Structures are given as structure tokens and as C-alpha cells.
């Protein structure tokens, strides 16, 4: 009787073992099928397109821009000395294609530079007879027009004129007033300084005059 129970138990154990193997194979087969279905249903994401080169991307809208301008002219006899649109009495004046206003030329270049536009020599070349003896108001007005066209206005401007002679202090306020009219700016945003060159090189020897200008444009 004991032998019968032992045999029956072994038989049942083998049967359970076989059943477990069948169930395991079935589960493995089902998982494999699901994996294949999932893999076939999965769509690979498209390859990212190459970014456009920097020079082809849309230009950033900057809240402010800073520009710098410089101009220098020889001083010769028989010419008027025009600075910031003001006729300054002197024995010499600027030798230039236009009226030779170093301050307005430098300011024009500063505004154009802040806007990343061509400089004054490219927009108003001295090889063009049209600009022969031209009033430099024309140049600054065009720079201001381009500035407004791009959505900017003048924040402030700082001008440094370098000349050994004549003394410019008596004329600075008149120059500022003239600039404010041309720019449509308040006097508190327009500064003019005058320096000598300590009798060094052509500036210090009264053979030339120069101007440095910095401006800030705001949206």
C-alpha cells in the first residue's frame, strides 16, 4: 500500500512538472509575440533636421544697440570750419568732399554702426558728385530715418572733438542745440566735449581735426 502511494505521488509530481513546462513555454511564446508586435508597431522618430546656419536665422530683436564713430579731416586755409552744423570762426577749415563736419560724420557712422549698416563712406561716397559740398545734415537725417525705420530711438550720445585750435568751449551749447534739433533729442541726452592734442602730431599742430562719438539706441 505504501509502495502504491509512493508511485502515485511520483506520477502526480511528473504530471505537475510537465504541466508547468507547458505553461512556461506558452507564456514565453506569448511574450515573444507581444514583443514582435510592439516592435513592428513602433515608429522610429524622424531624424532631426540640420539647424540653419547662423547667418540665415532670423535676426534677434535687441533692446538696445551701441555704436561708435570716428572721423578726421585735414585743416586748410580758405575753407569754413563746420562742427555740429555750427560755423566756427577759424583761419582754417576742413578739406573734405562735403562740408567736412567731423562731428556729424562721426555721429552718422556711430548710428549706422549700431544698426550694423554700411558706413557713411559707402552710403555717401566721396566719388559721387552729388555729395560735393553737401551739408552734413543730410547724412545725419538719413541715419536717423534708418534708425526709426528699424524701431529704435536715440538713448544718448557722447561726442569728443579733438582740435588744438580754435577754442570750442564758447560754441558747445550752440552745437548741442543744433544736434538736439537734428536728432529730436532732449539736451540731457546729448553731450559734447572738446580736447586739445597737447601739440602732438597733426592734431596738435593745427593741421587736422578729429572726433570720436559713442551712441546708444533704444527700442
Amino acid at each position: 500500500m505504501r509502495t502504491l502511494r509512493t508511485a502515485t505521488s511520483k506520477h502526480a509530481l511528473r504530471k505537475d512538472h510537465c504541466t508547468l513546462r507547458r505553461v512556461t513555454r506558452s507564456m514565453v511564446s506569448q511574450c515573444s509575440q507581444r514583443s514582435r508586435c510592439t516592435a513592428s508597431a513602433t515608429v522610429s522618430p524622424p531624424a532631426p533636421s540640420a539647424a540653419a546656419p547662423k547667418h540665415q536665422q532670423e535676426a534677434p530683436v535687441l533692446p538696445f544697440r551701441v555704436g561708435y564713430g570716428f572721423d578726421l579731416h585735414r585743416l586748410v586755409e580758405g575753407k569754413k570750419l563746420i562742427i555740429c552744423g555750427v560755423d566756427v570762426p577759424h583761419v582754417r577749415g576742413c578739406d573734405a568732399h562735403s562740408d567736412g563736419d567731423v562731428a556729424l560724420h562721426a555721429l552718422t557712422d556711430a548710428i549706422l554702426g549700431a544698426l550694423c549698416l554700411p558706413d557713411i563712406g559707402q552710403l555717401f561716397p566721396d566719388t559721387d558728385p552729388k555729395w560735393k559740398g553737401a551739408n552734413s545734415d543730410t547724412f545725419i537725417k538719413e541715419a536717423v530715418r534708418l534708425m526709426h525705420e528699424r524701431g529704435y530711438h536715440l538713448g544718448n550720445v557722447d561726442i569728443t572733438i579733438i582740435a588744438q585750435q580754435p577754442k570750442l568751449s564758447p560754441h558747445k551749447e550752440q552745437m548741442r542745440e543744433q544736434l538736439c534739433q537734428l536728432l529730436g533729442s532732449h539736451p540731457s541726452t546729448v553731450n559734447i566735449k572738446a580736447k586739445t592734442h597737447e601739440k602732438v602730431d597733426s592734431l596738435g599742430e593745427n593741421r587736422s581735426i578729429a572726433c570720436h562719438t559713442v551712441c546708444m539706441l533704444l527700442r
Side-chain angles (χ1 to χ4, degrees):
M1 190 68 180
R2 184 182 300 173
T3 302
L4 179 61
R5 284 199 299 269
T6 302
T8 301
S9 177
K10 289 181 178 179
H11 177 72
L13 183 61
R14 284 197 298 273
K15 185 177 180 180
D16 291 343
H17 183 67
C18 291
T19 301
L20 180 61
R21 281 192 296 176
R22 285 198 300 274
V23 171
T24 302
R25 284 198 298 270
S26 177
M27 291 176 64
V28 171
S29 176
Q30 291 177 6
C31 290
S32 177
Q33 289 177 0
R34 290 195 189 99
S35 298
R36 285 196 296 271
C37 291
T38 303
S40 62
T42 302
V43 179
S44 300
S49 58
K54 287 289 186 182
H55 67 278
Q56 294 180 2
Q57 296 179 10
E58 187 175 350
V61 179
L62 302 178
F64 66 89
R65 288 173 174 266
V66 176
Y68 165 77
F70 171 77
D71 194 35
L72 180 146
H73 286 297
R74 292 189 306 115
L75 292 175
V76 296
E77 294 182 358
K79 296 273 189 174
K80 288 185 176 182
L81 182 60
I82 309 295
I83 305 176
C84 295
V86 175
D87 189 347
V88 179
H90 191 42
V91 294
R92 295 182 177 185
C94 290
D95 184 20
H97 187 68
S98 63
D99 63 4
D101 192 326
V102 289
L104 292 190
H105 292 182
L107 180 54
T108 299
D109 252 353
I111 295 174
L112 294 174
L115 297 170
C116 292
L117 294 176
D119 61 37
I120 188 173
Q122 292 173 279
L123 295 182
F124 309 101
D126 58 9
T127 54
D128 190 338
K130 178 170 60 176
W131 308 120
K132 179 67 175 178
N135 191 320
S136 294
D137 289 7
T138 303
F139 309 148
I140 194 66
K141 287 178 180 177
E142 176 63 10
V144 170
R145 185 191 69 80
L146 293 170
M147 174 181 68
H148 291 158
E149 184 178 79
R150 284 155 178 76
Y152 290 90
H153 65 274
L154 190 67
N156 74 297
V157 56
D158 190 21
I159 297 174
T160 302
I161 303 165
I162 304 175
Q164 195 67 35
Q165 294 178 13
K167 293 294 182 183
L168 298 179
S169 296
H171 309 283
K172 283 168 55 175
E173 283 307 312
Q174 186 181 356
M175 293 177 184
R176 188 204 300 264
E177 291 175 5
Q178 181 70 11
L179 275 182
C180 289
Q181 291 180 11
L182 289 172
L183 300 170
S185 299
H186 191 273
S188 64
T189 65
V190 177
N191 188 49
I192 299 175
K193 305 188 298 291
K195 305 287 184 181
T196 68
H197 214 246
E198 299 297 332
K199 300 182 179 180
V200 176
D201 65 36
S202 65
L203 289 167
E205 294 170 358
N206 195 32
R207 293 187 289 111
S208 63
I209 185 171
C211 182
H212 298 267
T213 299
V214 179
C215 72
M216 176 177 284
L217 311 186
L218 304 174
R219 288 195 73 85

